[in-house]
Amino acid sequence: MDIEERQAEHIEYFVKQASALKGPALASVVVEATSHPSLFAFSEILAVGNVLELEGTESSVYLELLRTFAHGTWTEYKSISERLPQMVPDQVLKLKQLTVLTLAESTKVLPYDLLMNELDVTNVRELEDFLINDCMYVGIVRGKLDQLRRCFEVQFAAGRDLRPGQLGSMLHTLTDWLTISDNLLISIKEKIKWADTMSEMGTKHKKEMEEKIQEVKKSMSFKADISYRGHEEMYPEPVGVMDFEEDRSRPKRRRHPHHPLG
């Protein structure tokens, strides 16, 4: 089962739990959800009416805590931690995992120095163990640890809940992408049409050349035939030569002397 399918099951469970409870009783649901090792999306729980009703009550800190896990980072939590419930170790780990996902949204090459600062990690070994065991092994990110360049090259990162106002920006980005895709498709179609036209012209030219070659062959054959016939007319076979030769081979007649009559 992949991470998306696991998420769906856990979300459904906690949404049902939140829908069945009210007021302070929801605190345990929030803590359990934000501590769960396989849950990384919280917008559906935030949308439950009973949870939204915590706004302005003594339990509103749990609503704010849930919002921090939906959209915030470890650094942001530290800046407001005084007014939020103290987190247990599983929650700290979860928020640091979510922080990596947020950083991966803006760049696919995360310097070790940036990660150590954002996650409160003191050395490279600790950071790499966290990225391998608590991020890549869990399946929320995939990437390559580059010790030489001291960075984490992100190949895949699971998405986080959309922040307020982020949907409009995302729609704008998708609209721009669709426009670029449409223009690219038009360009590809024009190139295909041009290629087809050139192919047709090439085929037509080849056919014309073949026809010209055949015409030249026929013309040469006709001229050769005319030349041969003209040669026969100019130099016919000698007539009478054989007769002359035969005449010369015949014995000549001897003439008898003519005696006049007395």
Side-chain angles (χ1 to χ4, degrees):
M1 184 181 295
D2 59 25
I3 188 171
E4 286 80 8
E5 292 177 346
R6 293 197 302 268
Q7 290 284 296
E9 289 185 359
H10 300 320
I11 289 170
E12 183 180 2
Y13 168 78
F14 285 110
V15 166
K16 288 181 178 179
Q17 290 290 100
S19 300
L21 301 173
K22 282 183 174 292
L26 285 169
S28 61
V29 176
V30 172
V31 172
E32 184 183 357
T34 54
S35 303
H36 196 286
S38 299
L39 183 63
F40 297 92
F42 306 93
S43 59
E44 287 87 347
I45 304 173
L46 272 172
V48 175
N50 293 351
V51 175
L52 293 174
E53 289 176 1
L54 293 176
E55 190 77 63
T57 68
E58 293 181 356
S59 299
S60 62
V61 291
Y62 289 98
L63 175 60
E64 190 171 357
L65 180 65
L66 188 59
R67 285 172 175 163
T68 300
F69 274 84
H71 311 124
T73 64
W74 174 247
T75 298
E76 292 171 354
Y77 165 77
K78 288 191 299 179
S79 67
I80 59 174
S81 60
E82 293 182 357
R83 67 173 187 262
L84 295 179
Q86 185 176 0
M87 294 200 299
V88 299
D90 286 341
Q91 288 176 304
V92 173
L93 173 62
K94 173 61 59 66
L95 192 54
K96 288 185 176 182
Q97 291 171 319
L98 293 168
T99 298
V100 173
L101 297 184
T102 296
L103 294 173
E105 290 177 356
S106 58
T107 178
K108 297 306 178 185
V109 179
L110 301 175
Y112 279 4
D113 292 338
L114 171 65
L115 289 167
M116 288 190 290
N117 181 63
E118 291 290 330
L119 302 173
D120 278 344
V121 175
T122 57
N123 59 73
V124 172
R125 178 61 183 274
E126 183 183 354
L127 173 64
E128 290 182 339
D129 287 345
F130 169 75
L131 292 173
I132 294 172
N133 300 323
D134 298 317
C135 294
M136 287 192 282
Y137 183 76
V138 173
I140 58 174
V141 294
R142 289 195 299 270
K144 176 184 176 182
L145 299 175
D146 191 331
Q147 294 179 331
L148 183 63
R149 296 169 56 204
R150 290 174 55 86
C151 66
F152 177 47
E153 297 179 3
V154 181
Q155 298 170 346
F156 160 81
R160 292 196 65 180
D161 295 306
L162 294 177
R163 300 175 184 82
Q166 191 177 12
L167 180 60
S169 176
M170 181 175 291
L171 289 175
H172 180 71
T173 300
L174 289 174
T175 300
D176 290 343
W177 180 81
L178 286 173
T179 301
I180 293 172
S181 298
D182 289 341
N183 292 336
L184 181 61
L185 183 59
I186 292 172
S187 177
I188 292 174
K189 287 182 177 179
E190 289 177 349
K191 290 184 182 298
I192 292 175
K193 184 178 180 180
W194 176 83
D196 290 340
T197 301
M198 295 302 295
S199 177
E200 291 176 0
M201 291 177 62
T203 302
K204 182 180 179 181
H205 178 70
K206 181 181 178 181
K207 184 178 179 181
E208 291 175 350
M209 290 301 296
E210 290 176 349
E211 291 175 350
K212 287 182 179 180
I213 290 172
Q214 292 300 321
E215 290 177 0
V216 170
K217 287 182 177 179
K218 290 179 180 179
S219 176
M220 292 177 66
S221 176
F222 178 76
K223 288 180 178 179
D225 184 59
I226 293 295
S227 177
Y228 178 75
R229 292 184 181 180
H231 179 79
E232 286 186 334
E233 293 174 357
M234 291 176 62
Y235 302 99
E237 183 180 343
V239 179
V241 174
M242 184 61 69
D243 294 339
F244 173 76
E245 293 295 333
E246 289 178 356
D247 184 69
R248 291 180 57 186
S249 63
R250 290 178 184 172
K252 294 182 178 180
R253 295 180 182 179
R254 304 187 69 174
R255 293 186 178 182
H256 298 284
H258 181 69
H259 299 284
L261 298 175

